[in-house]
Amino acid sequence: MSFGIVPIFGDDGVNQKKFYITTPIYYPNRPPHIGSAYTTVVADILTRYYESLGYDVFFLTGTDEHGMKLYKEAKSAGISPKEYVNRMVPFFKRAWSALNIRYHRFIRTTDPDHEETVKRIVMKVYDRGDIYRGTYRGLYCVECERYYTAKDLVDGKLCPIHLKPVEYLEMEVYYFRLSKYRDQLMDLYINNKRFVLPEERKQYLIRKIEDEGLKDVAITRPKWYLSWGIECPWDQDHVLYVWVDALLNYVSGLGYVSNKENFEKFWPPDIQLIGKDILWFHAVIWPALLMSAGFELPQTIFAHGFLTVDGKKISKSLGTDIDPIDLVRKYGADTVRYYLARAIPFGEDGDFSEKDLVRYHNDELANEIGNLVYRVLTLAERYFDNKVPESTGLSPIDEETLSEVQKRLNEYHDYMRNLQIHHAVMRVVMIAQTINAYLNRTEPWSCWKKGDKETTARIIRNALDWIYILAATMYPFTPETATKISQQLGLNSIPKLSEVRLTGNLSPGHHLGKKQILFRKIS
Ligand SMILES: [Zn+2]
């Protein structure tokens, strides 16, 4: 799948060199599983990539803490909803920390500044005349927190996502005039090529709106029905619909009311990662709310596919709700991150398989990358006193390999910028393969035996220069390994992607660090 060439995000004008990325905020009704870990790992990969290129990055994630579903979970646990979410949030923070995910803010929709932001923004929409009172009658899935029309249901009665019966509900609510934004939204989808990615998801939206039109949406719930939410600022008998509350986290998370400077620096989002099940909220309701409230729109809403585990849906009852912390304990954060980026075509549905994880670990991380670094450092230690050797000139094989490395590096950047993460990480492996092939062709150990110190020096120096590139390109995916390689190269910090060169990364005479095995093979 290709999304076409997208320009470097944020490189157009005033907001040059900033990058604002978000994940959905997760429902803390149970600890995170491998599916939410996947989205959050990808956001961290992109964060580290843009940071390494010299961008100012803001990465927002968090938890969605209001609504009926959580209210019911708390009630059955016999505690207040707030106590309930307070207990659950640490599970998320621990999992993200285990996976080496470094967000800039973990937003909770019960944060006071979030609640204040939501009230201010819905008041703007209200003042604009885009909100009116009405009665809602319809079929509602409590798990999804949304209404369905009869034809969306499975067997006429089950929620298509949860396969549980929907409820008939009738209540007084306030509506948002979503229908008013139909033409503006259609223009946005048609004229802005990168607003919704991948392309087929956008086509789905266009078809759905053309077929079914765009109906106004209920954005409040009466308190007699649900009190666990943010109070509606113009009518205290209502709370705001959990989805409106949740979507506005992307505004409040930057500090809309608490850190104006940060908000102005980073707004609008450059990439918003979501699962395809929440596309309608993010690509239809969200931009319409922003248009109504007078905000600049996000650059890209990227909807990735669903993750299955060994071919099965992720669910507690099937035992497929793998705990990311368990995986990290078993394999290490880098292997898990690498596997998620490598094995799942970003944007499409993917399948998690522990067997594949072990295979990628052994074949690519241990055999290609780990062995390469160990091999080159061993030669440098043996022949050149663990220093970068002095050398001049390039042989035809050197030139050939150099252009191969350059090609892979260029592809790496193109794929990263086009959100083809799985192709980008493959370029890292290809760079390692290129260097391994170079060593096999040039055989520096044979040159040394023949007494050709000059050729040996040139080969080792080139290999070290390219391992430096390898460390920089690995950093977004496997930050711990990038740190270890950098230390073994005798560097104080991980090379920045904005600073790598094809040759001359390491000066002659530079002292290398102590070599160590990067990845032990898993049997
Ligand atoms: Zn549902």
Side-chain angles (χ1 to χ4, degrees):
M1 172 166 35
S2 167
F3 314 125
I5 296 300
V6 178
I8 303 170
F9 299 100
D11 259 9
D12 40 6
V14 197
N15 286 333
Q16 201 179 3
K17 293 271 175 188
K18 75 88 184 171
F19 184 76
Y20 176 30
I21 182 164
T22 67
T23 71
I25 47 174
Y26 305 109
Y27 268 131
N29 60 332
R30 55 183 61 99
H33 54 59
I34 197 71
S36 30
Y38 174 60
T39 317
T40 319
V41 162
V42 170
D44 187 68
I45 289 170
L46 289 167
T47 295
R48 290 175 189 268
Y49 174 74
Y50 280 96
E51 279 176 349
S52 185
L53 282 177
Y55 283 61
D56 264 332
V57 181
F58 198 92
F59 166 15
L60 181 71
T61 189
T63 40
D64 182 2
E65 303 188 354
H66 290 126
M68 183 58 92
K69 186 158 69 176
L70 282 172
Y71 179 80
K72 286 188 172 174
E73 296 267 0
K75 213 172 160 192
S76 68
I79 50 175
S80 75
K82 180 70 181 173
E83 277 176 292
Y84 183 81
V85 292
N86 283 349
R87 268 185 207 179
M88 295 306 291
V89 163
F91 286 100
F92 286 82
K93 292 191 172 174
R94 276 201 293 269
W96 301 163
S97 150
L99 282 160
N100 254 321
I101 290 165
R102 297 176 320 169
Y103 43 80
H104 295 87
R105 177 168 176 186
F106 188 102
I107 190 166
R108 300 180 53 181
T109 54
T110 51
D111 288 343
D113 73 314
H114 171 74
E115 299 197 357
E116 176 61 26
T117 302
V118 172
K119 287 181 182 175
R120 282 201 210 170
I121 292 172
V122 293
M123 263 330 276
K124 281 178 189 263
V125 176
Y126 186 82
D127 291 341
R128 192 90 194 264
D130 283 347
I131 290 173
Y132 63 93
R133 197 182 167 106
T135 305
Y136 196 89
R137 298 172 188 88
L139 302 163
Y140 193 79
C141 172
V142 171
E143 301 265 324
C144 294
E145 305 270 12
R146 62 168 287 189
Y147 285 101
Y148 281 101
T149 53
K151 75 173 194 50
D152 293 328
L153 302 175
V154 174
D155 298 337
K157 57 179 191 290
L158 305 177
C159 160
I161 306 281
H162 297 96
L163 302 175
K164 285 182 184 167
V166 293
E167 295 174 19
Y168 176 81
L169 279 180
E170 183 172 319
M171 57 178 87
E172 288 290 298
V173 294
Y174 288 91
Y175 281 94
F176 168 57
R177 290 186 203 280
L178 182 62
S179 58
K180 178 178 154 186
Y181 293 92
R182 184 194 183 275
D183 293 350
Q184 269 172 273
L185 287 169
M186 287 298 246
D187 279 352
L188 176 67
Y189 305 144
I190 292 159
N191 299 324
N192 185 339
K193 296 273 173 256
R194 61 183 195 183
F195 182 70
V196 179
L197 289 174
E199 174 70 22
E200 66 259 32
R201 305 230 197 276
K202 183 169 82 181
Q203 293 308 328
Y204 161 82
L205 286 179
I206 293 174
R207 273 197 312 275
K208 190 168 161 75
I209 294 173
E210 276 171 352
D211 291 354
E212 299 169 19
L214 209 49
K215 292 188 192 74
D216 293 346
V217 285
I219 58 155
T220 67
R221 299 288 181 262
K223 278 191 184 163
W224 62 258
Y225 171 71
L226 174 67
S227 57
W228 178 237
I230 298 176
E231 192 175 279
C232 177
W234 61 85
D235 185 340
Q236 57 182 19
D237 291 334
H238 287 251
V239 295
L240 292 161
Y241 176 38
V242 66
W243 264 104
V244 171
D245 169 356
L247 287 167
L248 293 172
N249 93 83
Y250 305 127
V251 177
S252 53
L254 285 178
Y256 182 70
V257 298
S258 54
N259 188 347
K260 204 84 191 163
E261 199 185 318
N262 195 62
F263 177 80
E264 276 161 14
K265 178 173 174 185
F266 286 105
W267 190 263
D270 293 270
I271 293 176
Q272 300 205 264
L273 300 177
I274 60 165
K276 65 180 178 182
D277 52 328
I278 52 176
L279 179 67
W280 185 259
F281 296 99
H282 282 83
V284 181
I285 300 175
W286 170 231
L289 279 173
L290 292 173
M291 287 170 183
S292 175
F295 284 79
E296 206 181 322
L297 300 182
Q299 305 280 334
T300 297
I301 310 285
F302 188 98
H304 64 72
F306 282 154
L307 207 59
T308 50
V309 172
D310 295 325
K312 287 181 243 138
K313 189 176 177 276
I314 296 179
S315 95
K316 202 175 169 181
S317 53
L318 292 173
T320 47
D321 59 337
I322 297 176
D323 180 350
I325 295 182
D326 287 344
L327 277 182
V328 170
R329 261 189 218 124
K330 211 162 155 190
Y331 301 110
D334 274 6
T335 293
V336 177
R337 292 169 62 104
Y338 179 84
Y339 169 77
L340 291 173
R342 169 74 176 86
I344 296 150
F346 195 58
E348 295 170 40
D349 289 343
D351 187 49
F352 177 91
S353 141
E354 211 167 322
K355 229 166 89 186
D356 286 347
L357 180 146
V358 170
R359 189 164 54 82
Y360 286 120
H361 173 96
N362 286 342
D363 293 355
E364 297 179 356
L365 292 176
N367 278 357
E368 288 293 348
I369 293 168
N371 282 352
L372 166 70
V373 175
Y374 199 80
R375 187 181 186 193
V376 173
L377 285 167
T378 303
L379 297 175
E381 187 180 58
R382 191 176 298 159
Y383 304 149
F384 301 104
D385 197 22
N386 212 31
K387 285 181 200 156
V388 177
E390 185 102 39
S391 77
T392 49
L394 292 170
S395 75
I397 295 179
D398 297 353
E399 302 263 15
E400 211 179 288
T401 310
L402 197 70
S403 69
E404 180 78 11
V405 172
Q406 174 159 38
K407 182 169 166 247
R408 297 309 178 200
L409 188 60
N410 290 345
E411 289 169 348
Y412 168 87
H413 286 298
D414 285 346
Y415 285 131
M416 281 299 241
R417 287 163 183 167
N418 286 299
L419 298 172
Q420 289 174 292
I421 309 294
H422 55 299
H423 288 315
V425 73
M426 191 59 210
R427 268 49 202 180
V428 177
V429 185
M430 288 170 154
I431 290 172
Q433 286 167 339
T434 303
I435 311 169
N436 275 321
Y438 171 74
L439 294 171
N440 293 341
R441 281 174 80 189
T442 52
E443 298 190 357
W445 46 90
S446 309
C447 299
W448 184 262
K449 262 186 213 150
K450 280 185 253 160
D452 185 354
K453 190 175 175 182
E454 205 184 305
T455 305
T456 315
R458 220 186 51 238
I459 297 166
I460 300 300
R461 179 163 178 211
N462 287 334
L464 286 167
D465 257 342
W466 298 330
I467 287 172
Y468 181 101
I469 298 175
L470 194 66
T473 53
M474 284 185 85
Y475 169 69
F477 302 98
T478 54
E480 283 174 25
T481 307
T483 307
K484 287 182 197 161
I485 297 177
S486 306
Q487 284 164 352
Q488 295 185 38
L489 289 176
L491 304 168
N492 297 323
S493 58
I494 302 163
K496 293 249 179 286
L497 283 164
S498 56
E499 287 162 10
V500 295
R501 289 172 292 177
L502 288 170
T503 56
N505 287 313
L506 295 164
S507 320
H510 168 84
H511 278 271
L512 298 164
K514 194 173 170 326
K515 69 172 191 287
Q516 49 167 287
I517 289 171
L518 289 172
F519 297 99
R520 302 247 171 227
K521 276 196 156 193
I522 304 164
S523 47

